[in-house]
């Protein structure tokens, strides 16, 4: 365990290195740590510190692609760095470049890498979603008109009907809408309005290809979850609404999907929900409001007060295998990371590596 710059950035582990972000005083940094002992291998200044009463610092998570690291700060600073040294390859500010205002709790999205393209939910009136060339930061295309959400874009491949050819699609949960767009040119294939208090669309969308089902969830007093059936055409995708209910309202973290069931937080309680119907299979308060990741048929559930539970991914009932105090914290909002038997957790001020392998 060690102190780390303040922030909610999660963790990417590649080889023997760990990448995250944090703020020290008035500056935000991208950190590269050695996974064996947590020592800093390099840190790079990435912008000024975003400040908020709920916690200062960056919110997005660095993305590693080959020999480069891509990081987006809470004030809109987007950097491409060399993985080995941290040397800046290119840098820009998405808010200044596209005339966008920062959102209430700071830029929080994590960029998506897809081939040559780097996809970012910018939130400008003229460029809500932007595809950059990852090699040099040049704009390939820009699309849509919406404020930014807090969610991360995803790339999916929608299977064709009756064995037809699949069609690639970007799904972006913006501040006021859920959209599906063409990876080629950013053309909008479909769009649904998604209005929540303070535009708090945070959770990452989930896609189940065998049933072509797309699932999204948001919280606050306007929260709900919805599912859609996607259909691939010759070069486009259509979306049909399946259901909407208030049984799962993700606040600051996303669900996980396993064997046709969604596991996640309906505000402060952990739930298992059937993807096809939206029916809740079980509810348990577990370790309190928190984040969920999954591995080897189990859920690793981190409560916001730092308590961790290991739970069977069992749609029939809540079966807890054990719990422990992972962090001495009152604000562990960052989703954990798991790599090669090591669990990495962090709160606003420190990062901890826990060996859970046998």
């Amino acid at each position: 365990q060690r102190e780390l710059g303040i922030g909610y950035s999660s963790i990417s582990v590649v080889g023997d290195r760990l990448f995250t972000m944090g703020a020290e005083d008035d500056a935000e940094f991208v950190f590269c740590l050695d996974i064996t002992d947590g020592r800093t291998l390099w840190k790079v200044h990435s912008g000024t510190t975003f400040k908020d009463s709920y916690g200062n610092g960056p919110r997005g998570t660095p993305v590693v692609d080959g020999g480069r690291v891509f990081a987006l700060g809470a004030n809109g600073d987007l950097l491409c760095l060399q993985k080995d040294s941290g040397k800046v390859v290119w840098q820009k500010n998405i808010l200044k470049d596209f005339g966008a205002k920062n959102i209430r709790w700071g830029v929080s999205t994590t960029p998506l890498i897809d081939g040559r393209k780097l996809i970012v939910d910018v939130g400008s009136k003229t460029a809500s979603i932007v595809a950059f060339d990852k090699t040099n930061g040049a704009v390939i295309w820009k699309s849509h008109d919406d404020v930014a959400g807090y969610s991360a874009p995803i790339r999916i491949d929608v299977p064709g009907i009756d064995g037809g050819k699949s069609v690639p699609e970007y799904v972006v949960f913006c501040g006021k809408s859920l959209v599906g767009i063409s990876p080629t040119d950013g053309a909008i294939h479909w769009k649904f309005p998604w209005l929540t208090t303070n535009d708090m669309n945070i959770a990452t969308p989930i896609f189940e290809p065998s049933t072509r089902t797309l699932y999204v969830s948001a919280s606050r007093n306007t929260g709900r979850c919805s599912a859609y059936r996607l259909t691939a055409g010759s070069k486009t995708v259509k979306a049909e609404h399946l259901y909407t209910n208030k049984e799962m309202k993700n606040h600051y973290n996303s669900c996980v999907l396993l064997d046709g069931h969604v596991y996640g937080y309906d505000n402060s309680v952990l739930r298992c929900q059937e993807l096809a119907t939206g029916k809740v299979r079980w509810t348990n308060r577990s370790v309190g409001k928190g984040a969920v990741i999954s591995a080897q048929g189990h859920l690793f559930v981190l409560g916001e007060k730092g308590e961790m539970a290991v739970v069977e991914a069992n749609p029939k009932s809540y079966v807890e295998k054990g719990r422990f105090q992972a962090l001495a914290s009152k604000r562990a909002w960052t989703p954990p990371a798991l790599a090669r038997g090591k669990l990495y957790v962090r709160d606003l001020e420190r990062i901890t590596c826990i060996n859970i392998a046998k």
Side-chain angles (χ1 to χ4, degrees), residues 240-301:
E240 171 194 4
H241 177 259
L242 295 178
Y243 64 77
T244 294
N245 64 47
K246 291 183 173 291
E247 301 295 342
M248 184 75 81
K249 299 181 290 295
N250 292 163
H251 185 189
Y252 52 76
N253 275 300
S254 308
C255 293
V256 296
L257 173 65
L258 294 168
D259 298 325
H261 292 84
V262 175
Y263 299 88
Y265 273 94
D266 175 38
N267 282 322
S268 60
V269 296
L270 185 66
R271 283 187 166 170
C272 172
Q273 185 182 32
E274 193 173 75
L275 176 65
T277 64
K279 178 182 177 182
V280 172
R281 300 294 299 271
W282 53 255
T283 297
N284 193 283
R285 291 198 172 273
S286 189
V287 291
K289 189 175 189 175
V292 185
I293 63 172
S294 63
Q296 296 179 334
H298 287 76
L299 310 174
F300 294 85
V301 186

Side-chain angles (χ1 to χ4, degrees), residues 1-7 9 11 16-24 29-44 326-329 343-354:
Q1 186 179 79
R2 56 159 285 183
E3 291 187 356
L4 190 67
I6 293 173
S9 176
I11 297 151
D16 59 357
R17 296 189 172 206
L18 176 158
F19 303 89
T20 188
M21 300 179 74
E24 295 177 348
F29 296 88
V30 182
F31 286 85
C32 174
L33 308 183
D34 188 306
I35 63 168
T36 59
D37 54 14
R39 62 191 170 92
T40 300
L41 297 177
W42 54 255
K43 72 174 185 178
V44 175
L327 289 165
S329 175
L343 187 68
Y344 301 89
V345 293
R346 65 172 294 189
D347 56 16
L348 264 177
E349 298 176 349
R350 63 191 62 82
I351 184 170
T352 301
C353 173
I354 302 164

Side-chain angles (χ1 to χ4, degrees), residues 46 72 75-78 91-100:
S46 57
L72 179 59
N75 280 314
D77 295 287
L78 177 63
Q91 181 175 4
K92 56 179 56 197
N93 186 286
I94 62 170
L95 302 183
K96 293 177 182 177
D97 290 354
F98 296 97

Side-chain angles (χ1 to χ4, degrees), residues 85-126:
S85 65
K87 181 181 178 181
V88 177
V89 179
W90 57 262
Q91 181 175 4
K92 56 179 56 197
N93 186 286
I94 62 170
L95 302 183
K96 293 177 182 177
D97 290 354
F98 296 97
K101 292 182 179 180
N102 206 344
I103 49 181
R104 170 66 179 81
W105 287 281
V107 174
S108 302
T109 186
T110 293
L112 167 70
I113 296 285
D114 181 37
R116 177 169 146 253
K117 292 187 285 293
L118 177 75
I119 310 301
V120 182
D121 182 8
V122 171
S124 168
K125 186 173 179 61
T126 58

Side-chain angles (χ1 to χ4, degrees), residues 170-193:
Y170 295 151
V171 178
V172 188
F173 203 11
C174 300
K176 299 181 186 295
S177 62
L178 174 72
V179 294
I181 63 178
S182 166
T184 303
D185 56 9
I188 297 175
H189 289 162
W190 52 265
K191 178 176 68 174
F192 292 95

